[in-house]
Amino acid sequence: MAPSSSPPHGIEVARTRDEVRAFRLKLSREGQTLGLVPTMGALHEGHLSLIRLAAREADVVAASLFVNPTQFAAHEDFGSYPRRESEDIDMLAAAGCRLVYCPRLTEIYPSGDSTRVRVGALSEDLEGAIRPHFFEGVASVVTRLFAHLGPDLAVFGEKDYQQLLVIRTLTRDLGFPIRIIGGPTRREPDGLAMSSRNAYLGAAERKQAGALPAALEQACKRLADGEPINAVCEKAGSRLLAAGFSSVDYIEARHAETLSPLGTGSAPYGVPGRILAAARLGTTRLIDNLPFQRS
Ligand code: PAF
């Protein structure tokens, strides 16, 4: 079955797994590779940079637009998450994407569905400790997208760094022959990481939000200079509260590849580190991360 619609700008819109499988089969017959960029829509330049990265690595790029209910807790923003399908499709077409998969809920979670994918310890720490449902929801939807589209590679933003590692782990553990690529975080002029949820910030909060990347950048310099991890993270948290953040869920310096703790003293020499943070400005929760290394 051919994808359901092909607007004049060349992008095909598929709403069922049969449609995306037909698209994938045709590419395979033509010997073309497929790169996938999964998204929840409300696209911004950060997403488009992932599409461009996928286009450099694969012959054809597909994106998905699906606000995945299983990764939201009942008290979270599933109902109010921004949905702008036709604007998103135009942006994807302009960025060179050839297929957009906008599945109905029952294509992803058929009636009676009871299968969930859970990646062990990595899912329980940091984001997973604060949002216990989150990574199971992400792993469950990404596994389905991989099964439906069968991409050769998939690109995920480093902005959601722990999510990227969870997806690398599930891809390895389930044996998907898919190369997982991390795309660098795109930032606003004041350093704020681009995110669909930045739209929730009021004008005053938006000004305060730049304190998050600034605090992380300063913390990375101090960690690279060998200042004790505990003191650096505590100081970064105090800086956020002083800048108007209402609370800090975590600021942690971890091993960049495993997210295992690096202790409380100076960061070890030559080990790739990542500082990760989540903090709240009013009702908006922001996350960010940066690399560091002591050499
Ligand atoms: O990062 C996101 O936008 C989502 O968590 C993802 C990977 C598309 C799964 O719904």
Side-chain angles (χ1 to χ4, degrees):
M1 199 189 301
S4 55
S5 73
S6 293
H9 43 38
I11 192 166
E12 297 185 1
V13 181
R15 299 202 181 268
T16 68
R17 9 174 152 174
D18 286 348
E19 288 168 356
V20 290
R21 283 197 179 119
F23 182 89
R24 167 73 266 197
L25 199 63
K26 185 164 173 289
L27 288 187
S28 300
R29 288 201 185 109
E30 292 165 356
Q32 303 211 73
T33 57
L34 178 65
L36 171 65
V37 181
T39 83
M40 297 207 299
L43 302 182
H44 50 68
E45 176 52 33
H47 295 108
L48 300 182
S49 72
L50 303 182
I51 300 285
R52 289 193 290 269
L53 175 52
R56 289 198 291 278
E57 300 290 329
D59 298 323
V60 171
V61 178
S64 58
L65 298 179
F66 181 68
V67 184
N68 173 37
T70 62
Q71 68 189 76
F72 292 80
H75 65 279
E76 292 181 342
D77 56 343
F78 175 69
S80 57
Y81 198 85
R83 289 162 173 85
R84 309 192 284 255
E85 188 184 281
S86 72
E87 218 177 308
D88 287 344
I89 293 173
D90 288 345
M91 288 168 80
L92 291 169
C97 194
R98 283 261 304 278
L99 176 85
V100 54
Y101 184 29
C102 309
R104 289 181 278 268
L105 181 68
T106 50
E107 290 297 318
I108 299 292
Y109 301 111
S111 159
D113 167 76
S114 62
T115 302
R116 292 292 174 270
V117 178
R118 201 180 71 79
V119 174
L122 190 55
S123 286
E124 285 156 21
D125 204 6
L126 301 170
E127 275 302 284
I130 309 281
R131 306 177 68 201
H133 57 284
F134 178 65
F135 288 119
E136 182 175 297
V138 168
S140 297
V141 73
V142 168
T143 301
R144 286 160 170 77
L145 293 171
F146 285 179
H148 296 186
L149 280 133
D152 298 282
L153 61 91
V155 182
F156 296 86
E158 287 181 354
K159 153 83 170 36
D160 295 289
Y161 191 77
Q162 189 178 2
Q163 168 176 279
L164 172 63
L165 297 192
V166 164
I167 291 164
R168 276 195 207 289
T169 305
L170 86 80
T171 304
R172 185 200 63 203
D173 292 354
L174 298 182
F176 283 116
I178 300 171
R179 183 156 64 97
I180 304 300
I181 301 175
T185 303
R186 295 299 301 255
R187 295 182 180 278
E188 303 290 354
D190 67 346
L192 180 65
M194 290 184 182
S195 163
S196 308
R197 287 188 169 108
N198 291 350
Y200 298 158
L201 295 168
E205 291 169 342
R206 175 61 194 83
K207 283 194 185 135
Q208 293 164 322
L212 177 57
L216 292 187
E217 207 173 305
Q218 189 186 56
C220 284
K221 285 196 185 106
R222 300 178 68 195
L223 290 165
D225 286 346
E227 289 189 41
I229 290 174
N230 259 9
V232 171
C233 292
E234 260 169 45
K235 179 136 192 191
S238 308
R239 187 174 164 177
L240 290 184
L241 296 175
F245 276 75
S246 24
S247 61
V248 176
D249 284 348
Y250 59 83
I251 298 187
E252 298 261 351
R254 298 291 183 91
H255 190 295
E257 283 148 25
T258 60
L259 293 190
S260 53
L262 292 173
T264 53
S266 299
Y269 282 108
V271 172
R274 203 92 189 178
I275 188 162
L276 304 102
R280 292 171 201 262
L281 251 181
T283 54
T284 307
R285 186 169 182 275
L286 300 177
I287 64 169
D288 201 352
N289 66 87
L290 281 176
F292 68 89
Q293 185 156 330
R294 189 167 172 222
S295 48

